[in-house]
């Protein structure tokens, strides 16, 4: 009796722990996502505030917009004469000119290529400048430079060493000092090189011009100083307050965080949903086990409402405890999440985590609400226990399934599938999401009805294991609700992974096949860093076009512009040579027509905007403002994709509206009679001075273009694996509870001679069966939604289906195998049950 | 017909328990559930173990059947000392040489009656002898119920299926723990009749734990337990004789559980 009591307490604790775990993991995910994005935003804010806090205003060339797609726009340099004009404005105490841009660092013959920027800027002493000397002296002569401590440490550079700074020009400079940035050793994922003004101007090819002028006002300057300064500058220049500037820069950087936050939160929601299934399941099993206790309470006079409150109270307690634990774990997990995200090519700034009250509040509320909502149905079932149930011996029997639920489930599921099918047949893609949700909801409602027959059929092969296998299949079939919700939780995780895998694989495949069809170039030279706008210095194209081995070198440039309020990208091409390296299908007009200053748009865009050849499209450029551009041709959608954007202009037009000189790609056709090896080595030699330029053959060029998809797929898969782990814990959880529930049956089996290994096989077999059921369901749903999405998108865009069979099979096998692992613990638990205690119970 | 089946000499001993001690709990809360109990079960006879609540009768049965370990003493099934056996060997011994009938929850809900009956054999990877299965089913009156699942059977039918399961492997001894406890008197009488018949006509050794004098009146011999010791016994009992013995035995101590 004492032993029994102890065992029951242990059982309670296990039950409690497993329920808690499901909530904790979901809340951890939510908190981790929020903390990570908050932290990154705060770090960006701090960084840009530090960068500008020394000056009151920054004078720079005017632009129609400040940033696009996370990149600050290029601005024209300021003429030398402006400095005097600014200095002469009433109330200006200091006007410090700055030349800054990209300058690659080379040390010991190797280029230092950071994931982020290679900043080259002008030394401005503190407090005006943002960098503070940590060692050595400031740069005084044109051949001196200071670099950031972080870069120096990472590459073993010390004061006295020589580094080469390569921008428009390259020059070896002596490192005379090391700087920090505020309290940090440098800028995240960047290198910093700071020279004298003259040196920076020379390296950046600015002549005697500046990038911007930092202004400090006198104490006597009045509140109308900004107006005075702005009117003194005229319309071509603007003065931005440092606070605005920091905000704008931080906003630009944070733009790229937004999609990450949305993605992380979506995945957190998925894992919470999976968690909700588990919570509901656990509570419902617990209620079933306690039916007698509840019935006794009812018989003793407890009302339904009291029972409902008592179960919900328990849920509330679990929700609060688990959410608090989840918030704590989530804060710790944020740093790990940053590593994971970083590993998939999304570099985030390093620094202490920042936890806002909002994060804590949201996470707690979500965790508690999800727990309460999940416990609602079991609680209502508890409240409906009749006092007579106390007298009944067998409480385990399957609760009757409402006919309304079954009918509702069937209707919902059919409606969902119908919606998905109509999308494939041509209905708007937006219906797909609704269809998917309806299908899943319908199947969730139907689960307890379809699971028993499915479990018996799928479990048939288990009969080769003898009695344990047979009992495993029966056990899964005889607990429809339990099996259904455990299966659905795992199936949902698998559905998401499969969906993402299929869509990503199709997108990659389409990118590759389009590229192969359109681009006929033998080689393409691109920046290895994958900058938003390219990143090849103009000299790259120049050198390559001089090579005897190269017949044609055609370059591409990218630019951002605005259509109304939305930011779009365009590609500039060389109308004379593009035909030699790409075979473009035009729907109307000819690509070469852009030479006259017009724009070629994709057929899709023309359709969407209701424009045709001869119409004008208003394009707003940062430097030159809005301009009416004539549409001179329509390009096939797929071919536009191969050239990266839906809008094509000529390099000549580009030069008129942008100052950007970097090329995005240089397409090369080798001269006749030159072997691939000869061409490759000639190109490589020509690129010797351009460490970030990389020569790629077709395959490498394609993988460069699909890298982003791979990175997102990798990140999503890893995070979904976490959700899947929660679902697998669900199998462990429910089986452990089911073992407790079946204590007497196990005791009976043991007493009539079932040995422990057979009992373990029984539990393991059920775990695998549930996993396999989930694999079947998840594969059907994931593949269905994935295929439907790709087919639907393929109707309006360049996308065709590519099923990554081997990857999908691997996922299926892994999930089934994971079921085996999930069963280990409950199996051991079952086999360790003392048969005597098992018989004595009841 | 049944008489032609295996019969054992009435003097052979099927089970022997010597000075069995079983202690529950630790330190101050220890309870000596068995305190030097010694008894012998003769083969081919229907024996009952009786005693007041807390006398240790169920513990005694568990110890003799190899369901639980003991703290000291010795238990022999035939000539096998089961106290020297490991957990797995005891399980295999139960499967092959011992049959069980419990008060309730005797059947695996997921299996049909015939699958439940065959369970000890199928667990060992063997098939039941169809003729023996048919004969048991006919003797127990459950031929029409073999394909049914437990929840489709009455309580009496369930217990008869359990008896068939206990007999299917032709065990050396069948232990029955309050087998009629959940049955009405008519079904209880019938079941006891079947058990008695199995002992007398098939030579099956049967040990029944009960606290019900009327159930115990069906057996050949009763062993009385009190405070974890065997204190008396009664051959060919009648209800009045049992009641008078029991009156002397009512345990003065009140223990929780048993």
């Amino acid at each position: 009796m004492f032993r029994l009591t102890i065992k029951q307490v242990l059982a309670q604790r296990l039950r409690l722990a497993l329920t808690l775990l499901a909530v904790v993991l979901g809340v951890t995910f939510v908190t981790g996502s929020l903390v990570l994005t908050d932290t990154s935003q705060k770090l960006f804010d701090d960084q840009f505030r530090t960068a500008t806090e020394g000056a009151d205003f920054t004078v720079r060339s005017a632009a129609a917009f400040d940033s696009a797609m996370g990149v600050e726009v290029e601005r024209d340099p300021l003429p030398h004469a402006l400095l005097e004009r600014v200095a002469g404005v009433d109330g200006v105490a200091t006007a410090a000119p700055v030349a800054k841009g990209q300058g690659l660092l080379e040390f010991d013959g190797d280029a230092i290529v950071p994931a982020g920027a290679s900043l080259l800027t002008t030394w401005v002493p503190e407090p005006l400048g943002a960098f503070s000397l940590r060692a050595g002296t400031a740069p005084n002569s044109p051949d001196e430079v200071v670099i950031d401590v972080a870069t120096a440490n990472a590459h073993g550079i010390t004061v006295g060493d020589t580094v080469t700074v390569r921008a428009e020009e390259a020059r070896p400079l002596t490192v005379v000092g090391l700087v920090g940035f505020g309290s940090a050793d440098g800028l995240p994922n960047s290198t910093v090189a700071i020279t004298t003004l003259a040196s920076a101007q020379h390296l950046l090819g600015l002549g005697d011009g500046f990038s911007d002028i930092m202004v400090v006002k006198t104490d006597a300057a009045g509140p109308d100083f900004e107006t005075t300064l702005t009117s003194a500058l005229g319309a071509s220049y603007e003065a931005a307050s440092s606070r605005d500037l920091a905000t704008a820069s931080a906003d630009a950087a944070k733009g790229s965080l937004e999609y990450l936050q949305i993605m992380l939160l979506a995945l957190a929601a998925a894992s919470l949903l999976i968690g909700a299934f588990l919570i509901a399941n656990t509570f419902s099993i617990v209620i079933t086990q306690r039916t007698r206790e509840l019935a006794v309470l009812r018989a003793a006079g407890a009302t339904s409402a009291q029972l409902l409150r008592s179960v919900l109270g328990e849920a509330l307690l679990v929700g609060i405890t688990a959410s608090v634990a989840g918030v704590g774990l989530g804060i710790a997990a944020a740093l790990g999440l940053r590593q994971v995200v970083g590993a998939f090519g999304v570099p985030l700034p390093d620094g202490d985590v920042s936890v806002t009250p909002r994060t804590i509040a949201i996470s707690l509320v979500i965790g508690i609400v999800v727990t309460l909502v999940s416990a609602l149905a079991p609680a209502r079932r508890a409240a409906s226990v009749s006092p007579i149930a106390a007298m009944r011996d067998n409480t385990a029997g399957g609760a009757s399934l409402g006919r309304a639920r079954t009918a509702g489930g069937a209707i919902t599921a059919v409606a969902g599938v119908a919606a998905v099918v109509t999308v494939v047949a041509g209905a708007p893609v937006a219906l797909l999401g609704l269809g998917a949700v309806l299908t899943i909801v319908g199947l969730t409602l139907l689960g307890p009805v379809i699971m028993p027959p499915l479990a018996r059929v799928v479990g048939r092969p288990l009969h080769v294991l003898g009695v344990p296998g047979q009992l495993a299949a029966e056990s899964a079939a005889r607990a429809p609700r339990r099996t259904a919700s455990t299966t659905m939780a795992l199936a949902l995780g698998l559905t998401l992974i499969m969906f993402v895998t299929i869509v990503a694989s199709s997108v990659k495949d389409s990118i590759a096949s389009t590229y192969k069809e359109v681009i006929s170039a033998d080689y393409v030279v691109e920046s290895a860093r994958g900058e938003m706008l390219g990143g090849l210095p103009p000299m790259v194209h120049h050198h390559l076009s001089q090579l005897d081995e190269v017949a044609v070198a055609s370059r591409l440039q990218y630019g951002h512009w605005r259509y109304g309020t939305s930011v779009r990208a365009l590609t500039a091409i060389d109308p004379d040579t593009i035909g030699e390296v790409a075979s473009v299908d035009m729907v109307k007009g000819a690509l070469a027509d852009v030479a006259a200053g017009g724009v070629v748009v994709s057929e899709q865009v023309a359709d969407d905007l209701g424009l045709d050849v001869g119409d004008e499209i208003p394009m707003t450029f940062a430097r030159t403002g809005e301009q009416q551009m004539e549409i001179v041709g329509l390009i096939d959608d797929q071919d536009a994709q191969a050239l990266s954007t839906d809008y094509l202009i000529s390099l000549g037009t580009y030069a008129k509206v942008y100052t950007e000189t970097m090329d995005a790609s240089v397409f090369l056709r080798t001269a006749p009679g030159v072997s691939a090896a000869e061409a490759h080595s000639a190109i490589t030699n020509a690129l010797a001075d351009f460490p970030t330029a990389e020569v790629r053959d077709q395959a490498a060029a394609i993988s460069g273009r699909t890298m982003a998809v791979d990175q997102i797929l990798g990140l999503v898969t890893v995070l979904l694996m976490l959700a899947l782990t929660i679902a697998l814990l669900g199998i462990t959880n429910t089986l452990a509870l089911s073992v407790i529930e079946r204590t007497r049956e196990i005791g009976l089996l043991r007493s009539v001679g079932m040995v422990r290994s057979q009992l373990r096989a029984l539990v393991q077999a059920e775990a695998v069966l549930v996993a396999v059921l989930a694999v079947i369901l998840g594969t059907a749903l994931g593949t269905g939604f994935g295929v439907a999405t790709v087919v639907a998108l393929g109707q309006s865009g360049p996308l065709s289906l590519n099923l990554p069979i081997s990857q999908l099979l691997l996922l299926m096998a892994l999930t089934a195998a994971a079921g085996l692992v999930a069963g280990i613990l409950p199996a051991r638990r079952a086999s360790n049950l003392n048969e005597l205690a098992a018989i004595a119970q009841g | 017909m049944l008489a032609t089946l295996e019969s054992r000499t009435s003097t052979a001993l099927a089970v022997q328990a010597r000075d069995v001690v079983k202690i529950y709990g630790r330190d101050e809360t220890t309870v000596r559930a068995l305190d030097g109990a010694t008894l012998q079960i003769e083969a081919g006879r229907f024996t009952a173990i009786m005693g007041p609540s807390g006398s240790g009768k169920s513990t005694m049965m568990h110890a003799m059947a190899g369901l639980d370990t003991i703290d000291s003493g010795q238990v022999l099934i035939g000539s096998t000392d089961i106290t020297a056996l490991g957990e797995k060997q005891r399980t295999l011994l139960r499967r092959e040489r011992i049959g069980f009938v419990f008060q309730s929850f005797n059947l695996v809900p997921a299996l049909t009656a015939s699958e439940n009956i065959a369970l000890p054999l199928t667990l060992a990877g063997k098939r039941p002898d169809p003729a023996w299965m048919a004969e048991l089913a006919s003797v127990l009156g459950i031929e029409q119920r073999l394909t049914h699942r437990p929840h489709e059977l009455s309580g009496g039918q369930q217990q008869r299926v359990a008896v068939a399961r206990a007999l299917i492997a032709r065990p050396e001894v069948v232990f029955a723990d309050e087998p009629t406890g959940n049955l009405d008197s008519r079904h209880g009488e019938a079941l006891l009749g079947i058990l008695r018949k199995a002992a007398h006509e098939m030579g099956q050794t049967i040990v029944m734990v009960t606290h019900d004098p009327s159930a115990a009146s069906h057996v050949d011999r009763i062993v009385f337990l009190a405070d974890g010791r065997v204190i008396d016994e009664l051959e060919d009992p009648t209800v009045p004789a049992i009641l008078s013995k029991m009156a002397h035995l009512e345990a003065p101590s009140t223990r929780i559980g048993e």
Side-chain angles (χ1 to χ4, degrees):
Chain A
M1 190 62 200
F2 296 106
R3 287 171 20 142
L4 213 67
T5 311
I6 292 164
K7 272 176 196 293
Q8 286 209 324
V9 170
L10 279 176
Q12 295 271 9
R13 209 170 57 189
L14 176 85
R15 196 155 71 191
L16 198 67
L18 290 167
T19 321
L20 284 169
L21 200 60
V23 191
V24 167
L25 287 174
V27 174
T28 299
F29 210 151
V30 173
T31 312
S33 306
L34 288 174
V35 168
L36 179 60
T37 43
D38 279 354
T39 300
S40 304
Q41 287 185 358
K42 181 168 180 298
L43 290 170
F44 278 133
D45 284 343
D46 290 351
Q47 183 183 323
F48 291 109
R49 197 169 307 125
T50 308
T52 57
E53 73 191 346
D56 295 319
F57 289 93
T58 299
V59 174
R60 53 188 187 170
S61 291
F65 52 94
D66 290 337
S67 64
M69 300 186 183
V71 182
E72 289 187 59
V73 299
E74 284 284 313
R75 289 169 197 266
D76 285 342
L78 304 172
H80 193 85
L82 191 68
L83 180 58
E84 260 174 64
R85 221 161 90 203
V86 170
V89 172
D90 198 25
V92 170
T94 316
V98 171
K100 65 176 181 186
Q102 293 283 314
L104 195 67
L105 276 180
E106 288 173 23
F107 178 60
D108 259 1
D110 291 325
I112 299 170
V113 184
S118 300
L119 181 66
L120 166 60
T121 186
T122 305
W123 177 255
V124 180
E126 280 187 292
L128 195 50
F131 294 94
S132 53
L133 267 183
R134 295 279 186 86
T137 59
N140 250 327
S141 74
D143 52 5
E144 289 178 349
V145 66
V146 295
I147 63 171
D148 62 300
V149 175
T151 304
N153 287 346
H155 298 274
I157 304 170
T158 53
V159 172
D161 285 339
T162 299
V163 296
T164 300
V165 177
R166 186 180 294 279
E168 292 291 307
E169 305 285 334
R171 184 192 277 185
L173 301 169
T174 308
V175 178
V176 295
L178 302 178
V179 293
F181 182 79
S183 62
D185 283 346
L187 295 174
N189 309 307
S190 305
T191 62
V192 178
I194 309 177
T195 65
T196 59
L197 177 62
S199 197
Q201 285 171 326
H202 169 74
L203 284 165
L204 293 165
L206 291 173
D208 61 356
F210 316 118
S211 305
D212 44 47
I213 300 173
M214 299 168 81
V215 172
V216 181
K217 59 183 183 180
T218 60
D219 292 340
D224 52 352
F225 173 72
E226 187 170 0
T227 329
T228 316
L229 181 61
T230 308
S231 58
L233 291 172
S236 309
Y237 309 105
E238 61 183 30
S241 82
S242 295
R243 202 181 321 113
D244 293 348
L245 208 58
T247 312
S249 304
D251 283 350
K254 281 187 282 192
S256 57
L257 279 180
E258 240 162 57
Y259 92 98
L260 183 70
Q261 180 165 29
I262 289 171
M263 195 170 77
L264 288 177
L265 287 179
L267 292 173
S271 64
L272 264 178
L273 181 65
I274 291 169
F277 272 99
L278 301 187
I279 299 161
N281 209 12
T282 313
F283 269 99
S284 131
I285 294 172
V286 170
I287 296 303
T288 311
Q289 287 175 356
R290 285 188 3 202
T291 301
R292 267 217 241 189
E293 179 194 323
L294 293 167
V296 170
L297 286 173
R298 288 281 278 136
T303 65
S304 291
Q306 279 174 320
L307 288 190
L308 186 77
R309 277 202 299 275
S310 95
V311 175
L312 285 182
E314 198 179 317
L316 185 67
L317 210 63
V318 167
I320 291 173
T321 317
S323 300
V324 168
V327 167
L329 275 176
I331 293 169
L335 291 178
L337 200 55
R338 177 154 72 197
Q339 300 294 322
V340 172
V341 170
F344 287 99
V346 187
L348 296 174
D350 258 326
D352 294 338
V353 295
S354 67
V355 182
T356 62
R358 178 204 59 148
T359 300
I360 295 177
I362 289 180
S363 303
L364 287 180
V365 167
I366 286 180
I368 293 167
V369 167
V370 165
T371 313
L372 280 180
V373 170
S374 310
L376 200 57
R380 285 176 50 188
R381 198 144 6 113
S384 69
V385 167
S386 79
I388 301 157
M391 273 62 102
R392 271 190 229 123
D393 180 46
N394 193 358
T395 56
S400 67
L401 299 165
R403 223 174 261 185
R405 171 178 171 152
T406 307
I411 291 167
T412 317
V414 168
V417 172
V420 172
V421 170
T422 55
V423 169
V424 172
V429 184
L431 259 181
L432 201 64
L434 180 69
V437 169
L438 285 181
T439 311
I440 289 171
V441 169
L443 279 179
T444 306
L445 292 173
L446 274 182
V449 180
I450 54 176
M451 273 313 155
L454 196 61
R456 287 201 174 95
V457 171
V458 176
R460 196 116 272 280
L462 287 177
H463 289 215
V464 298
L465 292 177
V467 181
Q470 186 190 353
L471 286 178
E474 272 302 312
S475 158
R478 291 168 66 83
R481 279 175 199 276
R482 194 182 71 207
T483 306
S485 51
T486 317
T487 305
M488 272 314 282
L490 186 56
L492 266 186
L494 197 61
T495 300
L496 288 173
I497 292 194
M498 289 208 160
F499 170 79
V500 173
T501 306
I502 289 171
V503 171
S505 151
S506 299
V507 168
K508 277 173 62 182
D509 194 54
S510 303
I511 291 175
S513 64
T514 306
Y515 184 87
K516 276 187 229 163
E517 264 173 48
V518 176
I519 306 299
S520 54
D522 298 310
Y523 293 100
V524 55
V525 174
E526 286 166 331
S527 168
R529 280 204 270 183
E531 292 98 333
M532 182 74 82
L533 293 176
L536 294 178
M539 288 307 282
V540 169
H541 174 256
H542 177 72
H543 284 319
L544 292 172
S545 60
Q546 301 296 309
L547 290 176
D548 290 337
E549 290 83 353
V550 169
V552 179
S554 184
R555 63 199 185 94
L556 251 53
Q557 287 189 283
Y558 296 150
H560 290 130
W561 58 283
R562 282 197 180 194
Y563 179 80
T565 53
S566 72
V567 173
R568 306 198 174 184
L570 61 74
T571 307
I573 48 129
D574 180 352
D576 297 334
T577 54
I578 187 76
E580 312 257 354
V581 292
S583 57
V584 176
D585 284 338
M586 296 295 289
V587 180
K588 274 185 189 171
L591 193 52
D593 294 347
V594 295
V599 58
V600 163
V601 303
S602 69
E603 196 182 7
Q604 178 75 39
V605 163
D607 276 357
D608 290 349
L609 301 182
L611 297 174
D612 204 346
V613 171
D615 293 338
E616 287 191 331
I617 174 171
M619 299 174 81
T620 304
F621 300 103
R623 266 183 71 228
T624 57
E626 186 177 306
Q627 225 163 308
Q628 295 295 329
M629 304 281 283
E630 189 191 346
I631 297 176
V632 296
L634 302 184
I635 184 174
D636 177 84
D637 295 335
Q638 296 230 7
D639 295 36
Q641 191 192 313
L643 294 173
S644 305
T645 73
D646 284 326
Y647 305 86
L648 304 168
I649 60 172
S650 74
L651 289 171
T653 312
Y654 186 92
K656 286 182 196 146
V657 291
Y658 293 99
T659 48
E660 176 70 61
T661 54
M662 292 285 177
D663 290 328
S665 317
V666 179
F667 289 109
L668 301 174
R669 162 161 286 184
T670 53
V674 176
S675 76
E678 283 168 348
H680 193 274
S681 76
I683 296 165
T684 309
N685 286 337
L687 296 177
D689 282 343
F690 305 98
T692 61
E694 198 173 79
V695 55
R696 293 168 174 169
D697 58 12
Q698 200 176 55
I702 290 171
S703 71
R705 277 162 177 69
T706 55
M707 194 173 67
V709 180
D710 277 331
Q711 286 176 341
I712 294 172
L713 177 66
L715 181 58
V716 170
T717 306
V718 164
L719 296 179
L720 278 178
M721 286 291 178
L722 292 180
L724 218 55
T725 310
I726 300 179
L728 284 168
L729 278 173
I731 296 188
T732 309
N733 188 351
T734 28
L735 276 181
L737 292 172
S738 128
V739 164
I740 300 170
E741 188 178 285
R742 288 186 291 164
T743 301
R744 298 179 76 192
E745 182 183 337
I746 290 167
L748 173 67
L749 287 167
R750 292 281 285 129
S751 50
V752 301
M754 180 175 267
V755 294
R756 283 188 174 156
S757 60
Q758 286 175 313
L759 191 55
R760 274 200 297 272
L762 190 163
V763 179
Q764 291 272 26
E766 187 176 344
V768 173
L769 178 59
V770 168
V772 169
L773 288 172
V775 166
I776 291 171
L777 214 59
T779 306
L781 290 177
T783 315
F785 297 153
V787 169
T789 306
V790 171
V791 170
L793 291 176
Q795 287 160 355
S796 59
L799 186 63
S800 56
L801 183 66
N802 177 44
L803 273 186
I805 302 288
S806 59
Q807 251 168 297
L808 296 183
L809 285 177
L810 183 69
L811 270 174
M812 294 165 73
L814 274 180
T815 310
L820 198 64
V821 177
I824 290 177
L825 228 58
R828 189 175 302 163
R829 192 180 168 74
S831 73
N832 286 346
L833 269 183
N834 179 307
E835 56 263 37
L836 183 59
I839 301 164
Q841 198 187 62
Chain B
M1 182 175 76
L2 290 172
T4 61
L5 297 168
E6 178 184 9
S7 76
R8 300 188 182 96
T9 55
S10 60
T11 52
L13 294 177
V15 186
Q16 301 175 65
R18 294 176 191 149
D19 291 326
V20 176
V21 175
K22 178 72 189 177
I23 302 168
Y24 287 129
R26 248 171 269 158
D27 304 329
E28 289 141 42
T29 57
T30 55
V31 172
R32 295 177 79 87
L34 292 176
D35 193 9
T38 297
L39 72 81
Q40 297 174 335
I41 303 293
E42 293 139 327
R45 297 193 79 194
F46 189 5
T47 309
I49 298 177
M50 290 194 79
S53 211
S55 61
K57 56 187 188 298
S58 282
T59 310
M60 188 69 197
M61 188 205 102
H62 292 151
M64 290 196 298
L67 281 170
D68 202 1
T69 55
I70 56 176
D71 294 296
S72 77
Q74 199 181 29
V75 174
L76 301 178
I77 300 282
S79 57
T80 309
D81 180 357
I82 68 167
T83 42
L85 298 180
E87 193 278 330
K88 177 161 186 180
Q89 288 161 306
R90 276 191 285 124
T91 304
L92 295 178
L93 175 120
R94 287 199 301 270
R95 182 150 98 187
E96 284 152 19
R97 297 169 62 184
I98 298 176
F100 288 97
V101 182
F102 298 108
Q103 176 175 1
S104 65
F105 207 91
N106 258 306
L107 307 177
V108 180
L111 301 179
T112 63
S114 64
E115 284 169 340
N116 263 295
I117 294 170
L119 197 54
L121 295 170
T122 44
L123 279 173
K126 296 179 195 153
R127 286 176 177 286
D129 170 6
W132 180 226
M133 168 82 89
E135 186 170 338
L136 282 176
S138 123
V139 169
L140 292 163
I142 49 173
E143 305 105 306
Q144 305 306 315
R145 294 279 175 240
L146 290 179
T147 56
H148 290 63
R149 302 210 182 229
H151 69 270
E152 298 164 319
L153 302 175
S154 72
Q157 286 166 340
Q158 287 187 19
Q159 286 306 76
R160 277 180 275 153
V161 170
V163 170
R165 200 247 340 272
L167 296 174
I168 191 76
R170 302 174 203 264
E172 290 174 33
V173 55
V174 168
F175 288 98
D177 190 356
E178 304 274 11
T180 58
N182 272 13
L183 300 180
D184 60 36
S185 59
R186 190 168 59 86
H187 285 109
E189 291 285 320
L191 192 78
L192 290 163
I194 288 166
L195 290 175
R196 187 177 170 86
K197 207 160 131 188
H200 294 173
E201 296 181 15
M202 302 156 137
Q204 178 65 60
T205 311
I206 297 176
V207 179
M208 174 173 76
V209 170
T210 184
H211 69 277
D212 173 10
S214 112
S217 68
H218 289 75
V219 308
D220 301 321
R221 168 180 171 239
I222 299 177
V223 177
F224 292 95
L225 254 70
D227 294 329
R229 291 201 191 95
V230 175
I231 52 157
D232 205 347
E233 58 174 89
L234 192 63
E235 291 277 337
D236 299 322
T238 59
V239 174
I242 297 169
L243 287 173
S244 109
K245 287 272 186 200
M246 291 286 281
H248 294 291
L249 293 180
E250 279 308 331
S253 63
T254 49
R255 267 185 238 143
I256 302 157
E258 61 182 283

